[in-house]
């Protein structure tokens, strides 16, 4: 039951965000900006850079430790998404065979280095995004985005998406169960049944959207959704932001892991 | 107080696909009345409720809320007066937290912030859910969702409370709690349901609907125990009567 699994994981990610660590209590805007700078600096590294990226691991490690996020959970999520990245990166070693160095008799080509670079970038950026969601309630992120002047259409989309993904997945789950309980170990009649299920789910979703809109109208909706403003940025948090952004720029400009390596 | 009145004058409604959902429906609900609308699936109950706050407009005839006809122009006023609780609370709870959801109506009414907070707390307290204020709706039980959906409507202080199948999907205890809660409201109430036992407990008056037409309108105690009428309406006698019937 892949659907069931991914659903319960989503619920788990959601429940993590209600913890009350130092990281959880930070203003969502601060966390969003830090995560964004992190992602941008990591991605901005040239294709064949590897060692410079390593210093960036300090950020996810810091968050995991302070926010008490189970490492295994993040790793598992990374493994689930990894096929997409492997597909993108796997051709590099075959296309680019310029040797750069030899390590214990194995020639290392630039192709392999850029392959690894993509993998490392992937691990860093995805874990940063996951950690943002695991340490910030989704309401908080939406509030943060809207206060950072992100157009309301996008924020409301995100908000409704998060609200109804649970309802939708539950509905899909019920349909899959109904199919399985009458198909005796086989997946119904395969793809054909699946197409039907997906179609019905779409129609139901459209009807639901209609009813939700009616409910909104009934309570005076006229185009804007009121946003809550609960958080206030404290000076402490500004320092948090400055320190991280400073570190990321430092890591980007100077290859610290190489420098530390040369000390020994 | 004349503004607590709802009146249907020869209302018909035809859906765009040609289905005639309501045909020449007329009735009048006065201040403080609790009226049930009963009928089998597809009788037109939900259509009737949607006409009450202008989610759809009648094909012919007129709907009046406190002497004001429901038209496109009067919609904001109508919706402030008529609070609708939908059948499925998941459709109604669209905001990320319970508190924000209950605040949605009052904020849209343009109330100042302190008053919004006051109304939210008051409404949540009334339905016994104040402790759920910061919870996201997907972490509530079915009964809690229903209660919060009702609070969302109460917070707007409507003159008339309209509910579609309030007891659908609730376990017996949540259903009982809901009935007790509704008993404490002194609004004009219009409840569409085929939970006839709930109707007997809450509504002195009852309108029986079948195939889009009013079959009978009168005292719930008389109508719902009238075996011939109930059969004609495509319903079954309330359970409380059925049981005593088998015992004798």
């Amino acid at each position: 039951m892949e659907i069931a699994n991914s659903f319960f994981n989503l619920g788990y990610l959601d429940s993590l965000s209600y913890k009350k660590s130092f990281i959880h209590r930070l203003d969502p805007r601060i966390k969003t900006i830090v995560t964004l700078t992190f992602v941008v600096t990591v991605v901005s590294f040239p294709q064949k850079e590897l060692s410079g990226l390593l210093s960036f691991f300090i950020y996810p490690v810091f968050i995991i430790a302070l926010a008490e996020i189970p490492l295994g959970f993040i790793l598992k999520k990374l493994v689930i998404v990894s096929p997409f990245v492997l597909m993108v990166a796997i051709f590099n070693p075959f296309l680019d065979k310029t040797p750069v160095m030899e390590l214990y008799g194995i020639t290392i080509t630039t192709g392999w280095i850029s392959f690894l670079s993509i993998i490392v970038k992937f691990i860093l950026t995805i874990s940063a995004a996951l950690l943002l969601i695991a340490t910030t309630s989704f309401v908080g992120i939406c509030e943060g985005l809207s206060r950072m002047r992100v157009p309301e259409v996008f924020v409301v989309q995100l908000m409704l998406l998060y609200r109804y993904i649970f309802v939708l997945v539950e509905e899909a789950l019920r349909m899959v169960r109904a199919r399985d309980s009458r198909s005796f170990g086989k997946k119904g009649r395969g793809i054909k049944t699946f197409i039907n299920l997906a179609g019905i789910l779409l129609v139901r979703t459209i009807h639901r959207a209609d009813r939700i809109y009616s409910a909104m109208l009934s309570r005076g909706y006229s185009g804007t959704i009121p946003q809550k403003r609960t958080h206030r940025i404290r000076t402490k948090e500004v320092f948090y932001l400055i320190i991280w952004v400073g570190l990321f720029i430092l890591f980007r400009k100077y290859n610290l892991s190489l420098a530390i390596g040369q000390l020994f | 107080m004349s503004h607590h009145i709802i009146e249907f004058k020869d209302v018909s409604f035809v859906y765009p696909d040609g289905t005639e959902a309501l045909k020449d429906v007329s009735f009048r609900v006065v201040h403080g009345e609790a009226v049930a609308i009963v009928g089998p699936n597809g009788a037109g109950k939900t259509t009737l409720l949607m006409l009450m706050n202008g989610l759809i407009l009648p094909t012919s005839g007129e709907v009046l809320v406190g002497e004001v006809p429901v038209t496109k122009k009067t919609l904001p006023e109508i919706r402030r007066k008529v609070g609708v609780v939908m059948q499925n609370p998941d459709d109604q709870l669209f905001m990320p937290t319970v508190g924000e959801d209950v605040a949605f109506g009052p904020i849209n009414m343009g109330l100042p912030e302190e008053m919004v907070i006051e109304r939210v707390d008051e409404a949540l307290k009334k339905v016994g859910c104040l402790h759920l204020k910061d919870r996201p709706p997907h972490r509530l039980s079915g009964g809690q969702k229903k209660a919060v959906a009702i609070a969302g409507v109460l917070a707007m202080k409507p003159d008339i409370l309209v509910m579609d199948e309030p007891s659908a999907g609730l376990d017996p205890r949540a259903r009982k709690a809901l009935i007790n809660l509704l008993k404490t409201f002194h609004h004009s109430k219009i409840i569409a349901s085929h939970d006839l036992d709930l109707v007997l407990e809450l509504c002195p008056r009852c309108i029986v609907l079948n195939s889009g037409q009013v079959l009978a309108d009168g005292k719930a105690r008389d109508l719902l125990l009238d075996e011939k009428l109930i059969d004609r309406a495509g319903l079954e006698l309330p359970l409380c009567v059925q049981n005593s019937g088998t015992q004798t």
Side-chain angles (χ1 to χ4, degrees), chain A residues 39-106:
Chain A
V39 170
V40 170
T41 40
V42 166
V43 173
S44 73
F45 270 96
Q47 201 193 352
K48 282 161 195 147
E49 178 69 48
L50 190 56
S51 58
L53 284 165
L54 297 178
S55 351
F56 280 88
F57 275 101
I58 191 170
Y59 176 69
V61 168
F62 173 83
I63 302 279
I64 288 174
L66 266 191
E68 292 169 19
I69 303 295
L71 181 64
F73 174 71
I74 299 290
L75 291 180
K76 221 187 276 169
K77 282 269 169 196
L78 285 174
V79 171
I80 294 172
V81 205
S82 60
F84 298 101
V85 186
L86 286 176
M87 285 280 282
V88 174
I90 196 69
F91 295 107
N92 282 7
F94 303 107
L95 294 176
D96 188 351
K97 289 189 170 161
T98 338
V100 264
M101 58 170 162
E102 209 155 299
L103 213 61
Y104 308 112
I106 305 164

Side-chain angles (χ1 to χ4, degrees), chain B residues 51 69 101 110 115 187 219:
Chain B
L51 284 164
D101 197 88
M115 216 156 137
H187 303 79
K219 277 195 176 150

Side-chain angles (χ1 to χ4, degrees), chain A residues 18 163-164 208 211 219, chain B residues 90-91 93 101 136 138-139:
Chain A
Y18 298 110
R163 167 67 185 93
Y164 283 105
R208 184 185 291 281
R211 294 197 304 270
R219 290 199 282 154
Chain B
D90 266 326
D91 296 341
L93 305 176
D101 197 88
H138 63 262
R139 295 188 168 261

Side-chain angles (χ1 to χ4, degrees), chain B:
Chain B
M1 278 184 268
S2 63
H3 54 284
H4 291 196
I5 288 170
I6 257 193
E7 187 169 10
F8 274 57
K9 282 185 183 164
D10 301 318
V11 173
S12 298
F13 185 80
V14 183
Y15 277 102
D17 66 355
T19 323
E20 199 172 26
L22 290 179
K23 214 172 141 193
D24 297 327
V25 171
S26 297
F27 61 87
R28 184 180 160 93
V29 177
V30 297
H31 176 65
E33 248 190 321
V35 181
I37 304 207
V38 301
N41 293 331
K45 298 188 298 279
T46 304
T47 311
L48 196 75
L49 299 194
M50 292 209 291
L51 284 164
M52 287 185 191
N53 76 340
L55 287 173
I56 49 179
L57 295 173
T59 315
S60 68
E62 204 177 20
V63 180
L64 294 167
V65 175
E67 315 302 335
V68 181
V70 179
T71 59
K72 274 212 174 95
K73 261 193 194 152
T74 56
L75 282 185
E77 193 186 339
I78 298 292
R79 287 184 179 148
R80 199 166 303 170
K81 287 182 178 168
V82 183
V84 180
V85 180
M86 308 258 164
Q87 177 173 354
N88 183 345
D90 266 326
D91 296 341
Q92 197 171 333
L93 305 176
F94 45 81
M95 293 296 278
T97 64
V98 166
E100 284 174 86
D101 197 88
V102 178
F104 185 82
I107 291 177
N108 282 329
M109 288 165 73
L111 296 177
E113 206 183 314
E114 319 84 63
M115 216 156 137
V116 171
I117 296 171
E118 200 179 290
R119 287 245 184 139
V120 169
D121 288 357
E122 191 188 341
L124 280 173
K125 214 179 272 168
K126 207 163 199 176
V127 300
C129 289
L130 194 55
H131 60 291
L132 302 174
K133 199 174 168 185
D134 296 317
R135 280 258 202 116
H138 63 262
R139 295 188 168 261
L140 302 179
S141 73
Q144 288 170 332
K145 278 183 190 169
K146 194 89 211 184
V148 171
I150 294 173
V153 172
L154 287 183
M156 300 191 296
K157 301 218 164 150
D159 299 332
I160 301 154
L161 192 62
V162 175
M163 309 182 93
D164 194 358
E165 295 290 359
S167 63
L170 296 184
D171 63 40
R173 187 158 292 175
R175 175 178 170 276
K176 191 72 210 166
L178 177 83
I179 291 177
N180 288 336
L181 176 69
L182 293 179
K183 275 184 184 164
T184 63
F185 296 162
H186 301 293
H187 303 79
S188 304
K189 272 176 291 209
I190 298 175
I191 299 177
S193 181
H194 33 221
D195 181 347
L196 299 187
D197 294 87
L198 171 135
V199 168
L200 279 176
E201 275 201 63
L202 286 174
C203 307
R205 180 178 161 200
C206 171
I207 295 172
V208 183
L209 210 63
N210 195 8
S211 324
Q213 281 174 301
V214 175
L215 213 56
D217 180 351
K219 277 195 176 150
R221 294 234 158 250
D222 300 340
L223 296 184
L224 297 182
L225 304 182
D226 179 344
E227 225 164 315
K228 264 191 199 143
L229 173 73
I230 289 296
D231 189 52
R232 207 148 55 90
L235 292 165
E236 292 284 324
L237 284 175
L239 293 173
C240 57
V241 194
Q242 282 184 18
N243 287 342
S244 63
T246 50
Q247 273 162 18
T248 48

